[in-house]
Amino acid sequence: MSTQDHVSWSTVASRGASKKVLRPLPVSAETDFQFKLKSNTLFHHSELDYQIMVRQAASIVKQALTPGSVLFSFPASLLKHRTEAYELIEDKCGAVQGFRPISNYGTRSAGEFMVEVKFVMPTSTTKAITHGVSYKNLLFKGSPSVPSGNNTLVHVKMTLLRIPDKDTFLADLKRSLRYYGKVYQVKEYTCGGYFEGELSVILDTSAGYIDASGDKVKNEPLTNNLYLEEWDCFASATFKGAPTVCHWFRLAGHARSKCPDLAKTKCFSCHGSGHTAKFCKKKNLGVTELPV
């Protein structure tokens, strides 16, 4: 079901902001142990590993990579010295302006040697990305650098509040999520082999999407309630940097301590406002106020 042709995104966003953010109740430890959630990858973009690598490199050097550069990653155990990688890259791809050993600026716990390469000719850059280099029967392809400001992949955990059609589920989900970013991975979680609506997705929120007019526009900001156009419904979502959700009223945008609804609530113990008897401090101190 598609609604974007006649409903503005501002209307969709206001609908989502007014909805309560639903979360499943925690399951007991005994049940969790017996029926531990298992993940199953439904979709994995072929470029995801490269995209992650580029963003890790930018994180290590605390800035974007050199525009037009290429990033290579080799198992550290494969090389006696990093200059072996330099010789291999230049020999197979073409003349190089310079190298920057990214691994020298960060930890080596992963056992990977990462190096940024700036070629003299654009054709060498293309060759490094499309053909890569071979060494000891292993193929290593370069990954293009990510422009400044576009170096964030967001891992989103979602709870579908409906039962989707299994045959078209993945395609419908990817079409719906295009408003928020380019989908690089989709995982479903099952309990005892049964899907209960738990998902995780990896999105590039800077990729943009094509609107109804054929123009490329910026992605919509992520929220705690993600609108899924194909099903005309909202999914509960959590991600790093997500708006705070009030545990009392279950609306995003404020903490429980700032909840306007809770401020109107009366305590049956001290007859004050802004809390319930369960969280009454005066009750815990043994102080009780009689009604006037």
Side-chain angles (χ1 to χ4, degrees):
M1 179 177 180
S2 179
T3 62
Q4 280 300 100
D5 292 338
H6 53 84
V7 177
S8 67
W9 193 267
S10 59
T11 301
V12 171
S14 62
R15 284 172 54 196
S18 65
K19 289 182 176 292
K20 293 187 176 181
V21 182
L22 299 180
R23 298 280 187 262
L25 296 173
V27 182
S28 64
E30 292 79 12
T31 304
D32 258 351
F33 178 78
Q34 187 177 358
F35 298 102
K36 185 177 181 180
L37 291 179
K38 294 184 178 180
S39 65
N40 176 39
T41 301
L42 301 179
F43 173 73
H44 186 97
H45 198 289
S46 59
E47 295 181 0
L48 177 59
D49 294 338
Y50 290 125
Q51 294 293 337
I52 291 175
M53 180 176 64
V54 170
R55 285 156 175 80
Q56 286 177 340
S59 176
I60 290 173
V61 296
K62 308 301 181 185
Q63 61 183 4
L65 301 181
T66 306
S69 67
V70 177
L71 187 71
F72 278 94
S73 179
F74 299 90
S77 59
L78 194 66
L79 307 168
K80 292 182 179 179
H81 193 268
R82 61 180 179 273
T83 53
E84 290 185 358
Y86 301 166
E87 293 175 2
L88 177 67
I89 293 169
E90 190 164 36
D91 178 60
K92 299 295 184 182
C93 299
V96 172
Q97 292 186 16
F99 297 92
R100 178 164 63 161
I102 301 294
S103 298
N104 284 7
Y105 301 95
T107 62
R108 302 183 182 184
S109 57
E112 293 290 318
F113 168 67
M114 285 192 292
V115 57
E116 182 185 11
V117 187
K118 180 69 173 179
F119 291 98
V120 174
M121 300 297 295
T123 52
S124 298
T125 301
T126 302
K127 188 175 182 180
I129 296 170
T130 57
H131 294 84
V133 298
S134 297
Y135 186 65
K136 294 184 178 180
N137 296 322
L138 297 174
L139 177 64
F140 302 95
K141 287 187 176 182
S143 179
S145 60
V146 178
S148 179
N150 297 345
N151 56 359
T152 301
L153 290 177
V154 182
H155 184 200
V156 182
K157 292 186 177 180
M158 301 169 54
T159 302
L160 294 182
L161 304 179
R162 65 171 290 127
I163 302 175
D165 187 327
K166 190 173 183 179
D167 293 335
T168 60
F169 166 60
L170 181 58
D172 290 344
L173 179 66
K174 289 170 65 178
R175 277 195 297 270
S176 296
L177 290 174
R178 75 185 186 277
Y179 296 107
Y180 299 102
K182 181 177 180 179
V183 179
Y184 274 96
Q185 187 185 77
V186 177
K187 283 185 179 181
E188 69 172 4
Y189 294 86
T190 57
C191 180
Y194 297 97
F195 178 57
E196 299 177 316
E198 298 294 316
L199 293 169
S200 73
V201 298
I202 295 178
L203 299 172
D204 178 0
T205 57
S206 65
Y209 69 95
I210 306 300
D211 65 9
S213 302
D215 299 322
K216 188 170 183 178
V217 297
K218 292 182 179 180
N219 290 115
E220 303 297 336
L222 293 172
T223 67
N224 297 96
N225 285 318
L226 299 184
Y227 179 65
L228 303 179
E229 181 189 41
E230 294 298 320
W231 303 306
D232 191 24
C233 72
F234 288 86
S236 175
T238 59
F239 51 92
K240 186 177 181 180
T244 301
V245 176
C246 173
H247 294 295
W248 173 259
F249 203 50
R250 294 187 179 180
L251 282 180
H254 64 267
R256 177 187 172 118
S257 60
K258 303 291 185 181
C259 180
D261 186 72
L262 181 59
K264 303 173 186 176
T265 302
K266 276 198 170 186
C267 172
F268 294 123
S269 178
C270 73
H271 305 286
S273 299
H275 63 274
T276 61
K278 181 179 180 181
F279 299 99
C280 181
K281 294 181 180 180
K282 292 182 179 180
K283 176 185 176 183
N284 295 334
L285 293 174
V287 178
T288 304
E289 291 184 2
L290 297 175
V292 178

